[in-house]
Amino acid sequence: MTHDNTPNDERIDGTESDAGARDGTESGPDPASTRRGLLRAAAGATVAGAASTAGCLGVSTPADVAAQNEVTGNVAHFVGPSWLADNRDDVVVLDARDAERFRTERIYGARRVPFDAITSRESTDAGLIPDAEAIAAAFGEVGVSPDDDVLVYGASVGSRVTRVAFALAAVGHAGSIRVLNGGLSGWNGRLGTGSRDRVSPAEYEPDPAESTRVTREWLADRVGTFNDDGPGLVDVRVAEAYVGAAGADALDPDNDRHGHLPGAIGVHWVGNVSGRRLTEPSRLVQLYEAEAELDRESTVVVYGGENVDPTSTWLTLRAIGFSDVRLYDGGFAEWANVDGDRGRYPVETATNVVIETDGSVGEDGGGGDFSCTG
């Protein structure tokens, strides 16, 4: 059961207003934004029967855009706008975007995640791991309880969104964790603006899930076995960073060494995303099983430069049925700059396997606001 403390239709000091009344002045709502809000409302909160408009050919309505972001096939964790419309009262909705975008426009009743907190790490003898106490406190601050069913959205299904999903899993979240395919642009239901709602903080005691992550020492113990007779290992950075190409802009100047962990294969995480949506699941299966030759029944570890981007691959692999996917939260930055005997933490630059991807994050031609001219 969820415990959504967002007030229904309540406006507190202008903190949550309908998208049809954006300017906040006494003179009333802006006509253009009011029209936009009315058109969104007319389109309905579900995608059944996408509307056609008399006299308008080739128009993309909010319902059309929502329909393009529905999730089909045997895919876990990612859901479309119609799922959210049907379950809005039963889930806590978390916004992974920055504060400015959140204030400008958001799903009505959504709560913004303090992103810096949910990426925080703590140092252990085995290496960096997610800071469960800090992460749990951040979720509790916005009223999330451990047993709440949660849906996360952003501008797309990019790595900020998947980092929130990972952070929930890392602290042992008991409720379900879902991501909205298409992000905010795919949602045709009610919108809000302004500062966040006043919500009551929740008690969130973390129950860290070690099965979600590995440490530097865990990896060091298995060097020489990756993608052979040991775990699968995926480097999600661009190819230039993977091979340590001299002079490449992709190289982090703060790293003492460049290249990748021995045996890792390179699959840039952007291949998981097509515009604002999850890449077609059949293409993802082809990418990771046929081309990368990963075993869905074996342990697969993903890492990047830091701990945000690789969560896209972490969630994508779980979504298409990989049974044991883990994140190296320390990332290549920790591995490359480790103190002490670096022979235990080797770096290689010779190309092992780099799989080409053709994904993109951003505009996808999916259509914008409803409009009809002429």
Side-chain angles (χ1 to χ4, degrees), residues 56-371:
C56 297
L57 298 177
V59 169
S60 179
T61 70
D64 293 330
V65 176
Q68 293 169 358
N69 290 289
E70 290 305 314
V71 178
T72 59
N74 188 21
V75 178
H77 303 295
F78 291 84
V79 296
S82 65
W83 185 95
L84 178 57
D86 292 341
N87 294 276
R88 178 62 190 89
D89 294 336
D90 300 319
V91 296
V92 173
V93 177
L94 297 180
D95 189 313
R97 300 172 303 156
D98 62 34
E100 182 177 357
R101 288 186 176 186
F102 178 79
R103 286 192 298 269
T104 300
E105 183 177 73
R106 63 177 178 274
I107 293 175
Y108 188 83
R111 310 169 192 184
R112 194 180 78 84
V113 178
F115 197 74
D116 288 346
I118 61 100
T119 60
S120 61
R121 297 177 288 196
E122 65 171 311
S123 180
T124 71
D125 290 341
L128 295 170
I129 62 172
D131 187 338
E133 293 291 340
I135 293 170
F139 286 126
E141 181 182 343
V142 294
V144 178
S145 297
D147 59 346
D148 284 337
D149 292 333
V150 175
L151 177 132
V152 189
Y153 77 93
S156 69
V157 292
S159 56
R160 283 181 66 99
V161 174
T162 56
R163 176 66 204 190
V164 177
F166 172 81
L168 285 164
V171 296
H173 193 74
S176 65
I177 305 167
R178 295 181 173 89
V179 165
L180 181 63
N181 200 38
L184 182 62
S185 64
W187 173 242
N188 64 341
R190 191 178 184 185
L191 296 172
T193 62
S195 302
R196 71 180 177 91
D197 275 342
R198 183 181 302 148
V199 295
S200 300
E203 290 291 330
Y204 202 123
E205 289 294 329
D207 182 18
E210 293 187 8
S211 61
T212 62
R213 47 84 172 171
V214 301
T215 65
R216 181 191 66 227
E217 295 308 308
W218 189 96
L219 290 167
D221 287 342
R222 293 163 176 79
V223 166
T225 71
F226 300 124
N227 296 309
D228 188 2
D229 57 351
L233 184 61
V234 181
D235 185 318
V236 309
R237 298 172 299 158
V238 296
E240 291 83 359
Y242 171 85
V243 299
D249 291 340
L251 300 185
D252 187 338
D254 293 330
N255 287 346
D256 293 339
R257 298 179 291 170
H258 300 289
H260 54 272
L261 274 66
I265 60 174
V267 187
H268 190 206
W269 73 271
V270 172
N272 306 324
V273 184
S274 177
R276 301 185 188 277
R277 301 185 287 269
L278 182 71
T279 295
E280 179 64 32
S282 60
R283 168 57 188 150
L284 292 170
V285 172
Q286 172 73 17
L287 175 64
Y288 288 109
E289 287 199 88
E291 298 176 26
E293 298 183 347
L294 296 173
D295 183 353
R296 65 171 53 236
E297 301 303 328
S298 298
T299 299
V300 177
V301 177
V302 298
Y303 75 91
E306 293 288 347
N307 67 354
V308 176
D309 289 348
T311 61
S312 172
T313 302
W314 174 84
L315 189 62
T316 297
L317 290 174
R318 288 168 57 94
I320 61 174
F322 280 70
S323 60
D324 182 12
V325 189
R326 309 183 189 189
L327 179 75
Y328 173 31
D329 210 55
F332 186 75
E334 179 189 35
W335 187 271
N337 299 311
V338 67
D339 293 329
D341 180 11
R342 292 187 172 179
R344 178 167 166 77
Y345 316 100
V347 169
E348 67 179 13
T349 56
T351 302
N352 188 36
V353 176
V354 176
I355 308 298
E356 292 186 6
T357 60
D358 54 6
S360 63
V361 180
E363 296 296 340
D364 59 358
D369 300 331
F370 180 92
S371 64

